[in-house]
């Protein structure tokens, strides 16, 4: 592992770099720096040599904030108005409350800079753990917490990261199953309304993984993949409506649409209905998550059910386990999905 290099050519040495060079865990480095737990003299010397070799500068501000436990866990989500995240928080509280902990919910608007600021604010509040929900490949916003020895769980990201536990869904498999369901209903020209993108299908996170599953299902069925059928936009009802508007403007509109979540699917459905189309007669729709609204809209929305509350419970338990045993290695927990068929397909 090497130090992180920035566009200006400068490098920032991280605690994970020190741990890798010293051949110890991130937690051990944290203990060697803080003195909160005993570390052998030999190990301390290895850590010190790595620090000197890399010219590592510990995040003194973050480390100095660690004090008495506050029995509080911060939950940082992209958008508190999305019904997915209150269910996640509810699941976390199921596990935290019996142990005397409370969840503090923060909305980051899916901005990395905002996430890092919130992490630092939560460290200032001396929270005992942090769960960050979102999908991205740059985890520097979590580094102050890792540096301070605070347990961190990433929710919605499948790639393990040094010092951080993860809880996520098999999104590639879910995207494949959703597309196979539409194929089984006789639809072949199938579109996908995904999340925001600057680089296209190579983006990271659940939306990109679900698109990968969609593409895999089409390829397995021998159907040519038409890139114009994959559109990107905001993960919201408005984003779903805009995506459907673009798809319906094509010379050959799709017969069915996979949407990256139920919020997007509901917006896409409303756009289709407002245009006088029949759902599923003219266009079938399927979403992801199985939020409560999926069963309430008409026609009812077919969706890939995600065990949101159980995933929240798993995330909370991972944090409590790390609080109880800071030397416990990070864990990666993967959940499957189930097809819930309703009238939209």
């Amino acid at each position: 592992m090497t130090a992180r290099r920035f566009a200006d050519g400068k490098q920032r040495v991280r605690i994970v770099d020190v741990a890798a060079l010293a051949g110890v865990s991130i937690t051990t480095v944290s203990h060697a720096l803080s003195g909160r737990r005993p570390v052998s003299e030999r190990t301390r010397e290895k850590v010190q040599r790595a620090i000197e070799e890399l010219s590592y500068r510990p995040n003194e501000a973050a480390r100095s904030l660690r004090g008495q436990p506050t029995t509080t866990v911060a939950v940082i989500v992209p958008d508190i108005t999305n019904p997915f995240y209150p269910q996640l928080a509810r699941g976390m509280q199921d596990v935290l409350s019996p142990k005397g902990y409370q969840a503090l919910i923060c909305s980051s608007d899916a901005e990395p800079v905002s996430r890092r600021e919130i992490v630092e604010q939560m460290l200032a509040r001396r929270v005992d753990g942090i769960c960050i929900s979102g999908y991205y490949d740059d985890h520097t916003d979590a580094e102050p917490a890792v540096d301070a020895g605070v347990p961190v769980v990433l929710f919605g990201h499948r790639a393990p990261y040094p010092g951080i536990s993860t809880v996520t869904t098999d999104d590639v498999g879910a995207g494949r199953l959703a597309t196979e369901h539409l194929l089984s209903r006789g639809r072949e020209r199938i579109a996908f309304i995904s999340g925001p993108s600057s680089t296209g299908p190579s983006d990271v996170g659940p939306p990109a993984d679900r698109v990968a599953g969609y593409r895999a299902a089409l390829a397995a069925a021998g159907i040519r993949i038409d890139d114009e059928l994959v559109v990107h936009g905001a993960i919201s009802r408005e984003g779903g409506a805009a995506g459907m508007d673009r798809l319906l403007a094509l010379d050959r509109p799709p017969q069915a649409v996979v949407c990256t979540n139920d919020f997007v699917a509901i917006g896409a459905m409303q756009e289709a209905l407002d245009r006088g189309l029949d759902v599923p007669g003219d266009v079938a729709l399927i979403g992801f998550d199985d939020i409560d609204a999926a069963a309430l809209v008409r026609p009812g929305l077919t969706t890939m059910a995600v065990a949101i509350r159980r995933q929240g419970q798993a995330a909370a338990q991972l944090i409590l386990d790390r609080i109880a045993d800071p030397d416990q290695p990070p864990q990666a927990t993967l959940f499957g999905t189930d097809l819930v068929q309703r009238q939209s397909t």
Side-chain angles (χ1 to χ4, degrees):
M1 184 176 297
T2 59
R4 178 177 177 82
R5 184 175 294 277
F6 292 87
D8 59 6
K10 295 181 180 179
Q11 291 183 330
R12 175 188 299 158
V13 180
R14 304 167 299 172
I15 194 170
V16 294
D17 304 319
V18 175
L21 182 59
V24 299
S25 70
I26 293 172
T27 303
T28 298
V29 176
S30 179
H31 292 338
L33 290 169
S34 68
R36 290 194 305 271
R37 290 201 174 197
V39 174
S40 71
E41 188 60 33
R42 181 172 178 272
T43 298
R44 191 182 303 278
E45 289 175 357
K46 287 167 60 177
V47 171
Q48 187 59 42
R49 283 197 299 270
I51 288 173
E52 292 173 358
E53 183 174 337
L54 294 173
S55 299
Y56 172 64
R57 297 179 61 186
N59 188 330
E60 295 294 343
R63 293 197 300 114
S64 68
L65 292 170
R66 302 304 299 147
Q68 293 299 314
T70 59
T71 61
T72 304
V73 172
V75 184
I76 304 173
V77 302
D79 181 7
I80 196 64
T81 65
N82 185 330
F84 180 97
Y85 296 110
Q87 289 188 53
L88 168 66
R90 176 66 265 181
M92 295 192 69
Q93 199 64 56
D94 289 343
V95 172
L96 295 174
S97 288
K99 299 297 183 180
Y101 285 80
Q102 292 295 322
L104 180 61
I105 315 300
C106 310
S107 187
S108 69
D109 296 325
E111 293 292 338
V113 172
S114 176
R115 279 193 298 261
R116 187 179 180 93
E117 290 175 349
I118 293 172
V119 167
E120 292 174 344
Q121 290 168 5
M122 293 303 100
L123 290 174
R125 290 174 177 265
R126 298 185 178 181
V127 297
D128 300 296
I130 298 177
C131 175
I132 304 176
S133 181
Y135 37 89
Y136 48 98
D137 60 358
D138 183 350
H139 304 284
T140 56
D141 51 340
E143 285 179 2
V146 177
D147 205 359
V150 176
V152 178
V153 172
L154 288 182
F155 185 90
H157 197 287
R158 61 186 171 85
Y161 183 77
I164 298 177
S165 294
T166 59
V167 175
T168 192
T169 301
D170 178 11
D171 290 299
V172 175
R176 184 183 67 250
L177 291 173
T179 308
E180 288 174 348
H181 170 68
L182 294 172
L183 290 169
S184 74
R185 306 298 290 176
R187 311 299 172 111
E188 293 190 356
R189 187 162 172 78
I190 302 172
F192 199 112
I193 302 177
S194 187
S197 173
S198 59
T199 60
S202 63
D203 281 358
V204 299
D209 288 344
R210 291 167 183 176
V211 170
Y214 151 86
R215 290 175 177 273
L218 293 180
I223 296 175
R224 185 180 70 84
I225 297 172
D226 188 343
D227 287 337
E228 73 174 356
L229 290 177
V230 179
V231 299
H232 297 268
I235 301 181
S236 63
R237 285 179 298 170
E238 294 77 12
M244 180 61 81
D245 179 67
R246 288 174 58 188
L247 292 170
L248 294 178
L250 296 174
D251 292 337
R252 293 179 58 224
Q255 301 167 314
V257 182
V258 184
C259 298
T260 200
N261 73 5
D262 292 341
F263 237 20
V264 171
I266 289 170
M269 179 189 295
Q270 191 59 57
E271 178 69 17
L273 294 173
D274 286 348
R275 287 168 172 256
L277 298 179
D278 179 74
V279 177
D282 295 316
V283 60
L285 289 123
I286 186 169
F288 288 84
D289 296 341
D290 195 26
I291 62 175
D292 290 343
L296 300 177
V297 295
R298 289 294 177 268
L301 178 64
T302 296
T303 185
M304 299 302 299
V306 175
I308 308 171
R309 190 161 176 170
R310 287 201 298 119
Q311 292 191 34
Q313 293 166 354
Q317 190 60 57
L318 285 171
I319 288 176
L320 291 181
D321 289 346
R322 290 288 300 279
I323 291 173
D325 181 9
D327 293 318
Q328 184 178 98
Q331 306 291 319
T333 305
L334 184 67
F335 281 80
T337 56
D338 295 305
L339 174 69
V340 178
Q341 185 173 346
R342 298 191 179 99
Q343 295 76 33
S344 68
T345 58

